[in-house]
Amino acid sequence: MDTQWDVVVIGAGASGMMCAATAGYRGKNVLLLDHANRPGKKILMSGGGRCNFTNLNATPEDYRSHDPHFCISALKRYTPYDFLELVERHGIDHVEKAPGQLFCSDSAKPIVEMLTTECEWAGVALRCSVSVDAVVRDGEGFCLETTEGQLRTKKLVIATGGYSIPTLGATGFGFELARQFGLNVWDTRPALVPFTLTSLWKERFAALAGLATPVDVQCGDAIVRGDVLLTHRGISGPAVLDISGDWVPGQALKINWWPDGVLYDDLIEWRDTSPRKSVVTMLSERLPKRLAQALVQWFCEKDTILAECSNAYLKQLSSAVQECELKPAGTEGWRTAEVTLGGIDTRLISSKDMSVKTIPNLYFIGEVLDVTGRLGGFNFQWAWASGVACGQAI
């Protein structure tokens, strides 16, 4: 491996490959390193193996950060449609599963192949199974001690991601390096992650494990609509993963199992039109029957026909179903979290090119920064946009 480079990018994930290819096309001599045995491992498992590679409706409001304005510049300059054009230019079949959410039709493999091909065409040297043991300032550049020997670079880009899914090689390398150079790192925690429950609610949901249904989930002022999946350990599903980014330990969630309409009004109407039918029978018209039976058992102890239900009974049931409050014990943690919430303080980073304001020629991109998207392709769009912003500048 050559020992002198214009640019070294550490981390061959989404943002790292995007940055390396962009810089390579600008004529830079680029080395892309990763300690894993192949690039893009997290891309391959994302979106259930089909990679939700962008969201056409992405806006800065879809991102959480201590500095909500930081992501605006990069997202504006490299849009979801820019990445979609790249995908279509490589002939990758894709589908829109939900409004704006684009997935590969079959598997995520073509996205990784596209990015590695772009790096190859741009003249990027990709080296996997190479770990970086130390980074020190070397004049205006940097000296890296690696498992393949020492090398020097004029510009250094850190694209190592966060702590999420350590089985794929995630580490805190980027955060440790940031602290080494005196940068503030906001506290990190798992996001886009299932919740665990204890005692009563764990027992209740375990009996319904595998059941999924649309709900509204509220955490503080945040409300997310989508499917919830009941599991043996707690709750998962798109709505839960999304709201996890707004949750802090000790906070309660409020679940509306009847998200379309006012249940009390519906029950009153049904009592007038179908008085001999049971509450469970009517709830089952919109809810899975097992869930309808469970809700009545949890909150009213037994089923009964609507004609025998008082207004007070129906109001009690409606309130319990539409304002069901539970307090998670915690989350599944880094093992299953899709992203890391928190990270390097973006007030210290240029929003134009992702450079450290106080340290020339040092850059941070992607998940390692304190920019976290909601569920639905937003985090990949941040990876592409921050990678391009950096690659165009170095």
Side-chain angles (χ1 to χ4, degrees):
M1 187 164 60
D2 292 342
T3 59
Q4 188 68 48
W5 300 86
D6 294 334
V7 179
V8 169
V9 180
I10 304 177
S15 63
M17 286 192 279
M18 201 69 177
C19 175
T22 304
Y25 279 127
R26 296 183 61 248
K28 303 297 182 179
N29 185 27
V30 182
L31 173 64
L32 177 60
L33 298 176
D34 202 291
H35 67 165
N37 60 359
R38 57 177 174 167
K41 279 192 170 183
K42 195 171 179 182
I43 298 174
L44 291 172
M45 59 75 60
S46 66
R50 293 174 60 190
C51 185
N52 181 189
F53 56 80
T54 194
N55 193 305
L56 297 177
N57 301 320
T59 69
E61 287 71 34
D62 295 305
Y63 296 84
R64 302 173 177 96
S65 174
H66 287 81
D67 178 8
H69 301 290
F70 176 80
C71 64
I72 295 175
S73 177
L75 291 171
K76 183 177 181 180
R77 286 180 287 139
Y78 193 82
T79 72
Y81 290 94
D82 292 320
F83 190 76
L84 178 58
E85 188 277 329
L86 178 64
V87 167
E88 292 180 339
R89 183 154 30 100
H90 280 258
I92 298 175
D93 292 332
H94 57 276
V95 294
E96 187 172 6
K97 289 182 63 176
Q101 296 182 21
L102 300 186
F103 289 75
C104 294
S105 296
D106 298 312
S107 84
K109 188 176 179 181
I111 296 293
V112 176
E113 292 175 344
M114 175 190 76
L115 293 169
T116 54
T117 296
E118 288 289 325
C119 285
E120 180 182 350
W121 289 348
V124 174
L126 171 61
R127 300 289 184 270
C128 293
S129 301
V130 177
S131 296
V132 177
D133 299 321
V135 177
V136 296
R137 200 76 165 121
D138 181 31
E140 289 297 305
F142 298 89
C143 179
L144 282 62
E145 296 289 346
T146 79
T147 50
E148 295 287 318
Q150 189 180 86
L151 57 90
R152 287 176 169 79
T153 181
K154 297 176 183 176
K155 298 178 184 291
L156 178 63
V157 181
I158 309 301
T160 49
Y163 294 110
S164 55
I165 316 184
T167 54
L168 297 179
T171 71
F173 177 89
F175 305 132
E176 294 165 6
L177 189 66
R179 292 189 184 100
Q180 174 189 323
F181 284 98
L183 305 184
N184 178 54
V185 178
W186 295 111
D187 289 343
T188 58
R189 56 187 174 88
L192 304 191
V193 62
F195 288 114
T196 58
L197 300 169
T198 56
S199 62
L200 178 62
W201 282 111
K202 180 180 179 181
E203 181 181 332
R204 284 174 170 178
F205 289 166
L208 299 172
L211 186 149
T213 189
V215 298
D216 284 340
V217 183
Q218 182 172 357
C219 180
D221 294 330
I223 301 177
V224 173
R225 174 166 293 196
D227 282 359
V228 63
L229 172 68
L230 307 186
T231 74
H232 288 285
R233 290 171 54 82
I235 49 176
S236 185
V240 170
L241 298 183
D242 203 357
I243 207 73
S244 68
D246 297 292
W247 181 79
V248 295
Q251 195 172 20
L253 301 177
K254 190 175 289 185
I255 299 180
N256 178 1
W257 301 98
W258 196 264
D260 294 313
V262 179
L263 179 56
Y264 179 72
D265 292 345
D266 292 334
L267 289 169
I268 293 294
E269 180 181 347
W270 289 337
R271 189 178 61 183
D272 292 338
T273 59
S274 305
R276 305 308 300 173
K277 290 188 177 181
S278 72
V279 173
V280 167
T281 298
M282 299 311 295
L283 291 180
S284 298
E285 291 194 0
R286 295 193 200 173
L287 297 175
K289 185 175 182 179
R290 286 196 300 148
L291 177 60
Q293 291 171 331
L295 289 170
V296 172
Q297 179 183 353
W298 295 343
F299 304 129
C300 299
E301 295 186 359
K302 65 178 182 178
D303 191 16
T304 186
I305 62 171
L306 287 163
E308 297 177 358
C309 295
S310 66
N311 287 357
Y313 174 97
L314 296 181
K315 187 171 288 291
Q316 173 190 338
L317 175 62
S318 300
S319 177
V321 169
Q322 294 206 276
E323 298 181 27
C324 176
E325 188 170 290
L326 55 89
K327 186 177 291 186
T331 71
E332 293 280 1
W334 299 116
R335 181 179 64 85
T336 60
E338 294 186 19
V339 294
T340 300
L341 190 69
I344 297 170
D345 190 341
T346 54
R347 293 175 301 178
L348 311 173
I349 308 296
S350 166
S351 62
K352 181 179 180 180
D353 61 10
M354 307 295 132
S355 64
V356 178
K357 294 177 181 178
T358 56
I359 305 173
N361 301 324
L362 179 61
Y363 305 77
F364 290 89
I365 58 176
E367 186 183 351
V368 73
L369 292 170
D370 175 35
V371 177
T372 306
R374 308 195 75 92
L375 183 74
F378 300 106
N379 286 291
F380 272 125
Q381 185 55 37
W382 170 245
W384 316 136
S386 61
V388 169
C390 182
Q392 289 177 337
I394 56 180

